[in-house]
Structures are given as C-alpha cells and as structure tokens.
Amino acid sequence: MRAVVVGSGFIGPVHVEALLRAGQDVLGIVASSPQKTTQACEALGLRQVYDSYEAVLADPHVDVVHITTPNRLHYDMAKSAIAAGKHVMCEKPLAMDSRQSAELVHLAEQSDVVTGVNYNIRYYPLCREAERRNADGELGNVHHVTGGYVQDWLFHPTDFNWRVLSSEGGPLRAVADIGTHWLDLIHFITKTPVRSVCADLQTVYPVRRRPTGNVETYSGSSSQPQSTQPIDIDTEDAGSILVRFEGGAHGCMTVSQVTAGRKNCCRFEMAGSRQTLAWNSESPNEMFVGHRDRPNETLLRDPALVGGSVSEGISYPGGHNEGFPDTFKHCFIDFYRAIEAKQNGEAAPTPGHPSFADGHREVVLCEAILKSHHERRWIDIGESGIPS
Ligand SMILES: NC(=O)C1=CN([C@@H]2O[C@H](COP(=O)(O)OP(=O)(O)OC[C@H]3O[C@@H](n4cnc5c(N)ncnc54)[C@H](OP(=O)(O)O)[C@@H]3O)[C@@H](O)[C@H]2O)C=CC1
Ligand SMILES: O=C1CO[C@H](CO)[C@@H](O)[C@@H]1O
C-alpha cells in the first residue's frame, strides 16, 4: 500500500515512522505550505513532494491518506479523501461535532474504502491483555472503573496551542483531546458503552498569553521567549466526569492538562468480581493484577506471559520495552490488514482497528459531557447516540 501523511507537526512524523516500521510504502508528507512540505519530506527521507492536499487526492498512486492536521480540518479532509476513493486513517477526535462525525460514518459505509481513527492507546500490549482477560472471564463482572488522563504541557498560562481555542479544536478540549483516549480504551477492554455522564469541567486559566508566532504541540518548554498577547479561553483545562456503563457498572474519569509533573499519564483501575487490573501509560510495560485471597501480581509485558493472540501484537521479548511509537505501528498493522482483507473479499480481522463508528461514539460522548456540565445534571446517551 502507498500512503501519504497530511500534517507535519508533532504526530505526522510519528505516523510516517510507524508506517515504515509496519512495512508500508510512504510516498510523502504534506505540510501547511510548499516550503514546510519540502522540509518535512527531506527530514523524513520521502521522495514525493506534493503541492497540496488536492494533489495527493488526485494522484492515482496514493492508496491511503493519514490525516494528522488540527481537529477543525479532519471532517473536510476525510470527506474529500473518501470521495477520491482513498482509504483514510484520521487522527482523533474524528470531527468537531456529531453531525460531522455521523456523516463521515455514513459516507464510509457507502464507500469501498476502509476508514479508521487513531485511538492508539488500545495497542499497548498490556491493554490488549486486559481486553483478553475481560473477554475470557478472568476479570469477572466489572463493578467500576476509575482513572483518566492527565498531563502538564498546558500548565502555565503562557502555554499555548491551537487546542485551547474551540474554533480550532472543538468546544471541548481536555475531554476531547485526551479523555476520549481513556473512554475509547475502557470501551475497547469492556466492550460496554457508556450510557450516562455527569460532568464538572474547569477552566483554570480563562485568559492565556498567545505567542504572536506559530506554536507546535509540546514545544512550550523548549521554545524561546517571544512576544505574546492575552487571549480569552473558551475550553476546559480539566474535568471530573462520572459515568454509568450499560449493565450498571460505574466509572469516574479525571482529565487535566495542568497537572504538574504528569507528562502524559493515561491510567485505569478496573475492579472486577474476580480480580482488579490497573495500568498506567507512563510505565506501560507492567500491569497490576489485584487479588483478595492471594498475593497481588505485577504482570510484565512479555509475549510469553500473555494469553490468547495478544503476543501477536508484541514485537520484542520481555524486558525490551515497547512504548508510544509502537502503538502506532500496531494500530497501522491492523488497519492495513483490514484494507487487504477488504480487497481480497475476506472478513476484517478481529478485534480490529478503531473505526469511524468508534470515533463518532467519542464525539457523541463529548457532546453529552458538555451538556451535562452546562445543565449541571446527569445526561443519558440512548441507543440512538442522542444525548438527552
Ligand atoms: N493519537 C495520538 O496519540 C495523537 C493524536 N494527535 C492528534 O493529531 C492531530 C494533530 O496534532 P499535533 O500533531 O499535535 O498538532 P501540530 O499542531 O503539532 O501539527 C499539526 C500540523 O498540521 C499542519 N497543517 C495545518 N493545516 C494544514 C493543511 N491544510 N495541510 C497540511 N498540513 C496542515 C500544521 O502546520 P502549521 O503549524 O504550519 O499550521 C502542523 O504542522 C490532532 O487532531 C490531535 O488530536 C496528536 C498527538 C498525538
Ligand atoms: O495521545 C496524545 C498525547 O497528547 C496529545 C496532546 O494533548 C494528544 O493530542 C494526543 O492524543
């Protein structure tokens, strides 16, 4: 398969590297200007310098596009890629609102292309082992799930990124940007949808200082001091969200982008009727397995120590640690297998890559969370996906 990545900021190059490690052919990367495109292609050793996204879509040699641009561009770019007959791997969140994400699901269903949303955290091997333990009944009935996703890269009021503006990233920020990773992960492990939410969101800095130049994600600590101007912030820095799952399990998710010292910490503790599982993305190669009547265990990521087919998603032996970039590689391996299966008229492999329907579910949850916060009450999400 021949892929092109769109967006050359923080995560675009991660897609390129993961694709190359997954054995795919990457033709080029497209940035926001011809000059940046040339620079990015040179830095990554890519041969094809496209003038524009339109030129990518017009090129019959391109099979797949990876969309890694700011959130506000996902809908239009994904829609035009589907119309051009390209397979699409889109970064999360899938779209700015559920009208857009529902339309993308519909367009994908009507097309012959394979589509996906990069909820990569599912691809940490021990998260897959948690999914297997739940499916095989080792966890028992899940009573409740706690945890969330916290970071510190927007800790100072002088930290700035397009995500803090609802016009660029969507009306929810911390919840959409990182909370949806947690919600997707818990859904992946439990296969149980969230049916109600009760949210309390917090904007710690209602005004931030915006640098007058461009700022790439995570560039805050390394960038030179520059001139800034005050800007009103209309998105949340943090939030506490109670959830109720279908079937009655309870949950509690915390999100924050202003928690000093937590660099990129997605964690869960899942209490089942037979055991408890706890995992943290900052030490992703170990998982706590809690017992009531015998000593607790620490399970290390090791292909020899996991069950079912989980070892197929592990590339290195125990002790040879895997991390963030490897999750992209494994997500893309699954995605490209689904493309191959479709082309051969075979069923898609299971459990499969995160789909546009998964992406839409997360956008719907974001809307329910925002509604709950505004109306200061529990909001139900029905089978139809419409919050009430
Ligand atoms: N799954 C994951 O783990 C992660 C997912 N993401 C998601 O990826 C997306 C991008 O995030 P991130 O990389 O952090 O953001 P960045 O701002 O670092 O990068 C986005 C890039 O897109 C470029 N861009 C803007 N408009 C266009 C255009 N029309 N055509 C081509 N390129 C364009 C920007 O260029 P310029 O700066 O010149 O405007 C910038 O280089 C977001 O949706 C985010 O949620 C991000 C990080 C991790
Ligand atoms: O996984 C991730 C790490 O942090 C980034 C910045 O908040 C997110 O956008 C991203 O999805």
Side-chain angles (χ1 to χ4, degrees):
M1 287 285 127
R2 289 155 306 189
V4 171
V5 174
V6 193
S8 64
F10 165 44
I11 219 65
V14 178
H15 280 240
V16 172
E17 290 175 9
L19 282 165
L20 296 174
R21 290 175 66 210
Q24 300 302 330
D25 187 4
V26 185
L27 296 181
I29 183 166
V30 183
S32 58
S33 69
Q35 193 197 358
K36 287 187 177 181
T37 297
T38 305
Q39 280 168 359
C41 286
E42 276 172 12
L44 292 158
L46 302 175
R47 59 188 183 277
Q48 190 81 38
V49 182
Y50 289 96
D51 287 348
S52 63
Y53 184 54
E54 290 67 34
V56 174
L57 298 187
D59 182 352
H61 296 106
V62 177
D63 301 304
V64 190
V65 295
H66 286 237
I67 299 171
T68 76
T69 49
N71 304 350
R72 78 182 153 80
L73 298 172
H74 292 181
Y75 165 74
D76 277 341
M77 286 186 158
K79 190 173 169 178
S80 49
I82 293 170
K86 311 295 184 196
H87 305 289
V88 186
M89 170 54 70
C90 185
E91 266 303 345
K92 36 59 55 181
L94 177 57
M96 296 284 270
D97 60 47
S98 63
R99 187 195 54 77
Q100 291 183 347
S101 56
E103 188 185 338
L104 290 177
V105 172
H106 176 72
L107 292 172
E109 281 168 358
Q110 302 302 305
S111 77
D112 286 331
V113 299
V114 177
T115 53
V117 182
N118 188 34
Y119 279 115
N120 60 300
I121 297 185
R122 299 175 179 200
Y123 286 89
Y124 280 102
L126 290 175
C127 293
R128 297 194 90 75
E129 171 66 4
E131 190 258 351
R132 185 205 62 79
R133 283 177 182 233
N134 182 56
D136 288 354
E138 291 173 29
L139 185 53
N141 296 324
V142 175
H143 299 317
H144 51 256
V145 189
T146 55
Y149 202 146
V150 296
Q151 306 173 320
D152 74 357
W153 70 290
L154 295 172
F155 177 71
H156 295 295
T158 46
D159 290 326
F160 187 84
N161 181 263
W162 55 262
R163 288 170 176 80
V164 304
L165 304 177
S166 65
S167 55
E168 296 279 316
L172 275 179
R173 188 227 307 167
V175 172
D177 188 39
I178 51 178
T180 63
H181 270 300
W182 189 88
L183 290 162
D184 176 77
L185 176 62
I186 301 309
H187 185 271
F188 170 72
I189 295 172
T190 62
K191 303 287 182 287
T192 308
V194 169
R195 285 291 174 230
S196 309
V197 296
C198 183
D200 185 18
L201 307 179
Q202 183 184 21
T203 301
V204 175
Y205 298 118
V207 176
R208 284 180 180 261
R209 303 287 315 182
R210 178 184 197 160
T212 44
N214 262 2
V215 191
E216 265 182 17
T217 310
Y218 287 116
S219 63
S221 52
S222 59
S223 52
Q224 298 298 313
Q226 48 185 318
S227 63
T228 61
Q229 58 194 30
I231 183 157
D232 290 340
I233 299 303
D234 57 357
T235 57
E236 82 290 357
D237 291 311
S240 308
I241 295 116
L242 293 175
V243 301
R244 283 284 180 91
F245 296 92
E246 189 168 285
H250 292 212
C252 180
M253 172 177 84
T254 304
V255 293
S256 166
Q257 296 183 309
V258 292
T259 299
R262 296 291 180 212
K263 301 302 168 190
N264 192 44
C265 176
C266 178
R267 60 191 158 194
F268 68 78
E269 180 160 297
M270 194 171 283
S273 56
R274 304 184 70 156
Q275 57 182 215
T276 296
L277 298 177
W279 177 86
N280 181 334
S281 64
E282 290 190 332
S283 48
N285 291 286
E286 59 185 62
M287 182 161 68
F288 169 87
V289 184
H291 303 287
R292 161 65 193 263
D293 300 315
R294 61 188 170 94
N296 297 332
E297 300 163 89
T298 300
L299 174 67
L300 298 181
R301 182 206 55 84
D302 181 334
L305 299 178
V306 294
S309 60
V310 174
S311 60
E312 289 167 19
I314 303 182
S315 299
Y316 301 98
H320 300 73
N321 287 335
E322 290 180 45
F324 182 74
D326 301 274
T327 61
F328 285 64
K329 181 181 84 174
H330 287 293
C331 182
F332 300 162
I333 288 172
D334 258 12
F335 179 62
Y336 282 76
R337 274 192 192 140
I339 297 175
E340 215 175 293
K342 181 143 195 164
Q343 288 178 338
N344 296 335
E346 297 161 3
T350 54
H353 66 275
S355 64
F356 270 18
D358 291 325
H360 172 61
R361 186 188 59 242
E362 296 308 327
V363 177
V364 167
L365 279 174
C366 285
E367 288 178 352
I369 286 167
L370 191 57
K371 187 175 164 81
S372 165
H373 170 71
H374 284 320
E375 297 182 10
R376 298 172 69 89
R377 67 179 179 92
W378 280 90
I379 298 293
D380 295 330
I381 302 120
E383 296 280 350
S384 64
I386 297 171
S388 61

mmCIF file of all heavy atoms in Angstrom, residues 257-292:
data_model
loop_
_atom_site.group_PDB
_atom_site.id
_atom_site.type_symbol
_atom_site.label_atom_id
_atom_site.label_comp_id
_atom_site.label_asym_id
_atom_site.label_seq_id
_atom_site.Cartn_x
_atom_site.Cartn_y
_atom_site.Cartn_z
ATOM 1 N N GLN A 257 -4.926 19.016 31.836
ATOM 2 C CA GLN A 257 -3.710 19.355 31.094
ATOM 3 C C GLN A 257 -2.878 20.359 31.881
ATOM 4 O O GLN A 257 -1.970 20.982 31.358
ATOM 5 C CB GLN A 257 -4.092 19.872 29.689
ATOM 6 C CG GLN A 257 -4.772 18.749 28.894
ATOM 7 C CD GLN A 257 -5.131 19.085 27.462
ATOM 8 O OE1 GLN A 257 -5.762 20.108 27.214
ATOM 9 N NE2 GLN A 257 -4.758 18.220 26.522
ATOM 10 N N VAL A 258 -3.200 20.452 33.203
ATOM 11 C CA VAL A 258 -2.491 21.404 34.075
ATOM 12 C C VAL A 258 -2.037 20.723 35.365
ATOM 13 O O VAL A 258 -2.021 21.338 36.430
ATOM 14 C CB VAL A 258 -3.389 22.635 34.386
ATOM 15 C CG1 VAL A 258 -3.615 23.485 33.149
ATOM 16 C CG2 VAL A 258 -4.728 22.220 34.992
ATOM 17 N N THR A 259 -1.661 19.442 35.288
ATOM 18 C CA THR A 259 -1.226 18.712 36.483
ATOM 19 C C THR A 259 0.303 18.580 36.439
ATOM 20 O O THR A 259 0.841 17.716 35.721
ATOM 21 C CB THR A 259 -1.890 17.311 36.526
ATOM 22 O OG1 THR A 259 -3.312 17.494 36.583
ATOM 23 C CG2 THR A 259 -1.440 16.526 37.744
ATOM 24 N N ALA A 260 0.989 19.442 37.200
ATOM 25 C CA ALA A 260 2.452 19.496 37.134
ATOM 26 C C ALA A 260 3.067 18.130 37.388
ATOM 27 O O ALA A 260 2.701 17.430 38.339
ATOM 28 C CB ALA A 260 2.978 20.499 38.156
ATOM 29 N N GLY A 261 3.984 17.770 36.520
ATOM 30 C CA GLY A 261 4.734 16.523 36.720
ATOM 31 C C GLY A 261 4.142 15.324 36.024
ATOM 32 O O GLY A 261 4.837 14.330 35.798
ATOM 33 N N ARG A 262 2.865 15.381 35.684
ATOM 34 C CA ARG A 262 2.258 14.269 34.927
ATOM 35 C C ARG A 262 2.407 14.609 33.441
ATOM 36 O O ARG A 262 1.691 15.463 32.921
ATOM 37 C CB ARG A 262 0.780 14.099 35.294
ATOM 38 C CG ARG A 262 0.558 13.706 36.732
ATOM 39 C CD ARG A 262 1.035 12.306 36.997
ATOM 40 N NE ARG A 262 0.813 11.931 38.384
ATOM 41 C CZ ARG A 262 1.598 11.104 39.070
ATOM 42 N NH1 ARG A 262 2.665 10.569 38.501
ATOM 43 N NH2 ARG A 262 1.330 10.806 40.309
ATOM 44 N N LYS A 263 3.365 13.960 32.809
ATOM 45 C CA LYS A 263 3.715 14.340 31.437
ATOM 46 C C LYS A 263 2.684 13.864 30.424
ATOM 47 O O LYS A 263 2.269 14.606 29.544
ATOM 48 C CB LYS A 263 5.108 13.799 31.075
ATOM 49 C CG LYS A 263 6.203 14.296 31.997
ATOM 50 C CD LYS A 263 6.275 15.811 31.996
ATOM 51 C CE LYS A 263 7.158 16.342 33.107
ATOM 52 N NZ LYS A 263 7.048 17.801 33.263
ATOM 53 N N ASN A 264 2.290 12.620 30.555
ATOM 54 C CA ASN A 264 1.312 12.076 29.599
ATOM 55 C C ASN A 264 0.793 10.781 30.212
ATOM 56 O O ASN A 264 1.181 9.695 29.811
ATOM 57 C CB ASN A 264 1.992 11.825 28.247
ATOM 58 C CG ASN A 264 0.983 11.555 27.156
ATOM 59 O OD1 ASN A 264 -0.040 12.240 27.045
ATOM 60 N ND2 ASN A 264 1.223 10.539 26.351
ATOM 61 N N CYS A 265 -0.078 10.940 31.188
ATOM 62 C CA CYS A 265 -0.416 9.836 32.086
ATOM 63 C C CYS A 265 -1.873 9.387 31.908
ATOM 64 O O CYS A 265 -2.792 10.000 32.448
ATOM 65 C CB CYS A 265 -0.170 10.311 33.512
ATOM 66 S SG CYS A 265 -0.641 9.133 34.765
ATOM 67 N N CYS A 266 -2.045 8.332 31.124
ATOM 68 C CA CYS A 266 -3.375 7.726 30.971
ATOM 69 C C CYS A 266 -3.386 6.482 31.858
ATOM 70 O O CYS A 266 -2.484 5.639 31.749
ATOM 71 C CB CYS A 266 -3.581 7.331 29.507
ATOM 72 S SG CYS A 266 -5.157 6.519 29.202
ATOM 73 N N ARG A 267 -4.357 6.379 32.750
ATOM 74 C CA ARG A 267 -4.331 5.212 33.657
ATOM 75 C C ARG A 267 -5.747 4.752 33.969
ATOM 76 O O ARG A 267 -6.691 5.547 33.954
ATOM 77 C CB ARG A 267 -3.576 5.550 34.939
ATOM 78 C CG ARG A 267 -4.189 6.682 35.707
ATOM 79 C CD ARG A 267 -3.296 7.182 36.829
ATOM 80 N NE ARG A 267 -3.674 8.548 37.176
ATOM 81 C CZ ARG A 267 -2.951 9.372 37.907
ATOM 82 N NH1 ARG A 267 -1.804 9.000 38.393
ATOM 83 N NH2 ARG A 267 -3.390 10.592 38.169
ATOM 84 N N PHE A 268 -5.848 3.463 34.281
ATOM 85 C CA PHE A 268 -7.150 2.957 34.728
ATOM 86 C C PHE A 268 -6.961 1.950 35.850
ATOM 87 O O PHE A 268 -5.904 1.324 35.973
ATOM 88 C CB PHE A 268 -7.935 2.322 33.563
ATOM 89 C CG PHE A 268 -7.336 1.041 33.024
ATOM 90 C CD1 PHE A 268 -7.495 -0.179 33.679
ATOM 91 C CD2 PHE A 268 -6.603 1.059 31.846
ATOM 92 C CE1 PHE A 268 -6.939 -1.349 33.169
ATOM 93 C CE2 PHE A 268 -6.035 -0.111 31.330
ATOM 94 C CZ PHE A 268 -6.205 -1.317 31.991
ATOM 95 N N GLU A 269 -7.992 1.851 36.652
ATOM 96 C CA GLU A 269 -8.087 0.761 37.630
ATOM 97 C C GLU A 269 -9.485 0.177 37.452
ATOM 98 O O GLU A 269 -10.486 0.886 37.568
ATOM 99 C CB GLU A 269 -7.888 1.284 39.051
ATOM 100 C CG GLU A 269 -7.978 0.181 40.086
ATOM 101 C CD GLU A 269 -7.312 0.584 41.395
ATOM 102 O OE1 GLU A 269 -6.092 0.820 41.415
ATOM 103 O OE2 GLU A 269 -8.053 0.692 42.396
ATOM 104 N N MET A 270 -9.519 -1.107 37.113
ATOM 105 C CA MET A 270 -10.772 -1.749 36.740
ATOM 106 C C MET A 270 -11.059 -2.852 37.752
ATOM 107 O O MET A 270 -10.313 -3.831 37.837
ATOM 108 C CB MET A 270 -10.579 -2.334 35.339
ATOM 109 C CG MET A 270 -11.821 -2.736 34.645
ATOM 110 S SD MET A 270 -11.432 -3.150 32.914
ATOM 111 C CE MET A 270 -11.261 -1.547 32.166
ATOM 112 N N ALA A 271 -12.104 -2.646 38.561
ATOM 113 C CA ALA A 271 -12.413 -3.609 39.629
ATOM 114 C C ALA A 271 -13.428 -4.620 39.119
ATOM 115 O O ALA A 271 -14.593 -4.279 38.870
ATOM 116 C CB ALA A 271 -12.957 -2.868 40.843
ATOM 117 N N GLY A 272 -12.996 -5.858 38.950
ATOM 118 C CA GLY A 272 -13.897 -6.918 38.516
ATOM 119 C C GLY A 272 -14.272 -7.812 39.686
ATOM 120 O O GLY A 272 -13.708 -7.702 40.784
ATOM 121 N N SER A 273 -15.200 -8.725 39.456
ATOM 122 C CA SER A 273 -15.640 -9.606 40.550
ATOM 123 C C SER A 273 -14.624 -10.715 40.829
ATOM 124 O O SER A 273 -14.700 -11.395 41.840
ATOM 125 C CB SER A 273 -17.010 -10.207 40.220
ATOM 126 O OG SER A 273 -16.947 -10.890 38.981
ATOM 127 N N ARG A 274 -13.632 -10.899 39.944
ATOM 128 C CA ARG A 274 -12.612 -11.929 40.179
ATOM 129 C C ARG A 274 -11.226 -11.347 40.430
ATOM 130 O O ARG A 274 -10.439 -11.930 41.161
ATOM 131 C CB ARG A 274 -12.557 -12.884 38.987
ATOM 132 C CG ARG A 274 -13.934 -13.499 38.708
ATOM 133 C CD ARG A 274 -13.856 -14.490 37.617
ATOM 134 N NE ARG A 274 -13.125 -15.668 38.085
ATOM 135 C CZ ARG A 274 -13.249 -16.870 37.583
ATOM 136 N NH1 ARG A 274 -14.080 -17.068 36.595
ATOM 137 N NH2 ARG A 274 -12.553 -17.874 38.040
ATOM 138 N N GLN A 275 -10.907 -10.225 39.791
ATOM 139 C CA GLN A 275 -9.616 -9.576 40.019
ATOM 140 C C GLN A 275 -9.716 -8.105 39.635
ATOM 141 O O GLN A 275 -10.718 -7.664 39.064
ATOM 142 C CB GLN A 275 -8.482 -10.261 39.229
ATOM 143 C CG GLN A 275 -8.697 -10.327 37.756
ATOM 144 C CD GLN A 275 -7.571 -11.073 36.994
ATOM 145 O OE1 GLN A 275 -7.251 -10.695 35.892
ATOM 146 N NE2 GLN A 275 -6.994 -12.114 37.572
ATOM 147 N N THR A 276 -8.659 -7.353 39.994
ATOM 148 C CA THR A 276 -8.571 -5.941 39.618
ATOM 149 C C THR A 276 -7.381 -5.784 38.675
ATOM 150 O O THR A 276 -6.348 -6.425 38.892
ATOM 151 C CB THR A 276 -8.333 -5.069 40.871
ATOM 152 O OG1 THR A 276 -9.462 -5.185 41.723
ATOM 153 C CG2 THR A 276 -8.119 -3.597 40.518
ATOM 154 N N LEU A 277 -7.551 -4.946 37.648
ATOM 155 C CA LEU A 277 -6.429 -4.637 36.768
ATOM 156 C C LEU A 277 -6.153 -3.138 36.847
ATOM 157 O O LEU A 277 -7.101 -2.336 36.854
ATOM 158 C CB LEU A 277 -6.765 -5.008 35.322
ATOM 159 C CG LEU A 277 -7.039 -6.490 35.045
ATOM 160 C CD1 LEU A 277 -7.422 -6.690 33.576
ATOM 161 C CD2 LEU A 277 -5.826 -7.352 35.411
ATOM 162 N N ALA A 278 -4.879 -2.771 36.938
ATOM 163 C CA ALA A 278 -4.528 -1.349 36.937
ATOM 164 C C ALA A 278 -3.314 -1.153 36.050
ATOM 165 O O ALA A 278 -2.357 -1.946 36.095
ATOM 166 C CB ALA A 278 -4.246 -0.846 38.344
ATOM 167 N N TRP A 279 -3.368 -0.077 35.243
ATOM 168 C CA TRP A 279 -2.313 0.171 34.242
ATOM 169 C C TRP A 279 -2.124 1.665 34.078
ATOM 170 O O TRP A 279 -3.056 2.440 34.278
ATOM 171 C CB TRP A 279 -2.734 -0.470 32.918
ATOM 172 C CG TRP A 279 -1.798 -0.234 31.778
ATOM 173 C CD1 TRP A 279 -0.692 -0.964 31.456
ATOM 174 C CD2 TRP A 279 -1.881 0.812 30.800
ATOM 175 N NE1 TRP A 279 -0.079 -0.435 30.343
ATOM 176 C CE2 TRP A 279 -0.787 0.655 29.916
ATOM 177 C CE3 TRP A 279 -2.770 1.862 30.588
ATOM 178 C CZ2 TRP A 279 -0.559 1.511 28.843
ATOM 179 C CZ3 TRP A 279 -2.549 2.725 29.515
ATOM 180 C CH2 TRP A 279 -1.459 2.536 28.651
ATOM 181 N N ASN A 280 -0.877 2.064 33.730
ATOM 182 C CA ASN A 280 -0.539 3.484 33.598
ATOM 183 C C ASN A 280 0.383 3.642 32.385
ATOM 184 O O ASN A 280 1.413 2.961 32.284
ATOM 185 C CB ASN A 280 0.191 3.910 34.886
ATOM 186 C CG ASN A 280 0.577 5.376 34.902
ATOM 187 O OD1 ASN A 280 0.755 6.002 33.866
ATOM 188 N ND2 ASN A 280 0.720 5.907 36.099
ATOM 189 N N SER A 281 0.039 4.540 31.475
ATOM 190 C CA SER A 281 0.818 4.694 30.235
ATOM 191 C C SER A 281 2.231 5.206 30.483
ATOM 192 O O SER A 281 3.072 5.144 29.594
ATOM 193 C CB SER A 281 0.104 5.647 29.269
ATOM 194 O OG SER A 281 0.034 6.946 29.829
ATOM 195 N N GLU A 282 2.504 5.745 31.702
ATOM 196 C CA GLU A 282 3.866 6.206 31.975
ATOM 197 C C GLU A 282 4.777 5.059 32.411
ATOM 198 O O GLU A 282 5.996 5.224 32.481
ATOM 199 C CB GLU A 282 3.863 7.349 32.989
ATOM 200 C CG GLU A 282 3.269 8.624 32.368
ATOM 201 C CD GLU A 282 3.431 9.880 33.198
ATOM 202 O OE1 GLU A 282 3.501 9.775 34.443
ATOM 203 O OE2 GLU A 282 3.469 10.966 32.612
ATOM 204 N N SER A 283 4.197 3.902 32.705
ATOM 205 C CA SER A 283 5.002 2.682 32.933
ATOM 206 C C SER A 283 4.235 1.539 32.244
ATOM 207 O O SER A 283 3.717 0.639 32.900
ATOM 208 C CB SER A 283 5.208 2.410 34.420
ATOM 209 O OG SER A 283 3.984 2.500 35.112
ATOM 210 N N PRO A 284 4.183 1.618 30.897
ATOM 211 C CA PRO A 284 3.222 0.788 30.160
ATOM 212 C C PRO A 284 3.563 -0.691 30.082
ATOM 213 O O PRO A 284 2.737 -1.480 29.640
ATOM 214 C CB PRO A 284 3.255 1.406 28.754
ATOM 215 C CG PRO A 284 4.618 1.980 28.622
ATOM 216 C CD PRO A 284 4.974 2.482 29.992
ATOM 217 N N ASN A 285 4.779 -1.042 30.519
ATOM 218 C CA ASN A 285 5.182 -2.445 30.374
ATOM 219 C C ASN A 285 4.888 -3.278 31.612
ATOM 220 O O ASN A 285 5.422 -4.386 31.754
ATOM 221 C CB ASN A 285 6.662 -2.516 29.980
ATOM 222 C CG ASN A 285 6.849 -1.989 28.557
ATOM 223 O OD1 ASN A 285 6.498 -2.657 27.607
ATOM 224 N ND2 ASN A 285 7.342 -0.773 28.428
ATOM 225 N N GLU A 286 4.089 -2.736 32.523
ATOM 226 C CA GLU A 286 3.672 -3.534 33.682
ATOM 227 C C GLU A 286 2.212 -3.258 34.016
ATOM 228 O O GLU A 286 1.715 -2.148 33.802
ATOM 229 C CB GLU A 286 4.575 -3.263 34.892
ATOM 230 C CG GLU A 286 4.605 -1.821 35.332
ATOM 231 C CD GLU A 286 5.616 -1.580 36.451
ATOM 232 O OE1 GLU A 286 6.817 -1.800 36.208
ATOM 233 O OE2 GLU A 286 5.187 -1.176 37.545
ATOM 234 N N MET A 287 1.545 -4.269 34.514
ATOM 235 C CA MET A 287 0.132 -4.121 34.902
ATOM 236 C C MET A 287 -0.072 -4.776 36.269
ATOM 237 O O MET A 287 0.398 -5.899 36.514
ATOM 238 C CB MET A 287 -0.781 -4.770 33.860
ATOM 239 C CG MET A 287 -2.270 -4.594 34.185
ATOM 240 S SD MET A 287 -3.331 -4.860 32.729
ATOM 241 C CE MET A 287 -3.117 -6.615 32.451
ATOM 242 N N PHE A 288 -0.757 -4.057 37.153
ATOM 243 C CA PHE A 288 -1.111 -4.583 38.474
ATOM 244 C C PHE A 288 -2.298 -5.528 38.319
ATOM 245 O O PHE A 288 -3.283 -5.201 37.647
ATOM 246 C CB PHE A 288 -1.477 -3.405 39.382
ATOM 247 C CG PHE A 288 -2.108 -3.777 40.688
ATOM 248 C CD1 PHE A 288 -1.330 -4.060 41.803
ATOM 249 C CD2 PHE A 288 -3.500 -3.814 40.818
ATOM 250 C CE1 PHE A 288 -1.923 -4.384 43.021
ATOM 251 C CE2 PHE A 288 -4.098 -4.139 42.024
ATOM 252 C CZ PHE A 288 -3.312 -4.427 43.126
ATOM 253 N N VAL A 289 -2.166 -6.706 38.944
ATOM 254 C CA VAL A 289 -3.294 -7.640 38.976
ATOM 255 C C VAL A 289 -3.600 -7.870 40.460
ATOM 256 O O VAL A 289 -2.778 -8.440 41.197
ATOM 257 C CB VAL A 289 -2.947 -8.979 38.285
ATOM 258 C CG1 VAL A 289 -4.177 -9.878 38.242
ATOM 259 C CG2 VAL A 289 -2.405 -8.736 36.872
ATOM 260 N N GLY A 290 -4.733 -7.370 40.907
ATOM 261 C CA GLY A 290 -5.066 -7.411 42.331
ATOM 262 C C GLY A 290 -5.958 -8.587 42.681
ATOM 263 O O GLY A 290 -6.886 -8.928 41.942
ATOM 264 N N HIS A 291 -5.638 -9.225 43.834
ATOM 265 C CA HIS A 291 -6.440 -10.352 44.323
ATOM 266 C C HIS A 291 -6.866 -10.086 45.759
ATOM 267 O O HIS A 291 -6.155 -9.431 46.516
ATOM 268 C CB HIS A 291 -5.618 -11.643 44.280
ATOM 269 C CG HIS A 291 -5.082 -11.961 42.912
ATOM 270 N ND1 HIS A 291 -5.884 -12.416 41.892
ATOM 271 C CD2 HIS A 291 -3.823 -11.873 42.410
ATOM 272 C CE1 HIS A 291 -5.132 -12.597 40.804
ATOM 273 N NE2 HIS A 291 -3.894 -12.271 41.097
ATOM 274 N N ARG A 292 -7.994 -10.657 46.154
ATOM 275 C CA ARG A 292 -8.413 -10.548 47.540
ATOM 276 C C ARG A 292 -7.780 -11.657 48.383
ATOM 277 O O ARG A 292 -7.335 -11.429 49.506
ATOM 278 C CB ARG A 292 -9.947 -10.627 47.587
ATOM 279 C CG ARG A 292 -10.585 -10.984 48.905
ATOM 280 C CD ARG A 292 -10.341 -9.912 49.980
ATOM 281 N NE ARG A 292 -10.714 -10.447 51.280
ATOM 282 C CZ ARG A 292 -11.879 -10.235 51.872
ATOM 283 N NH1 ARG A 292 -12.771 -9.477 51.308
ATOM 284 N NH2 ARG A 292 -12.146 -10.792 53.042
#
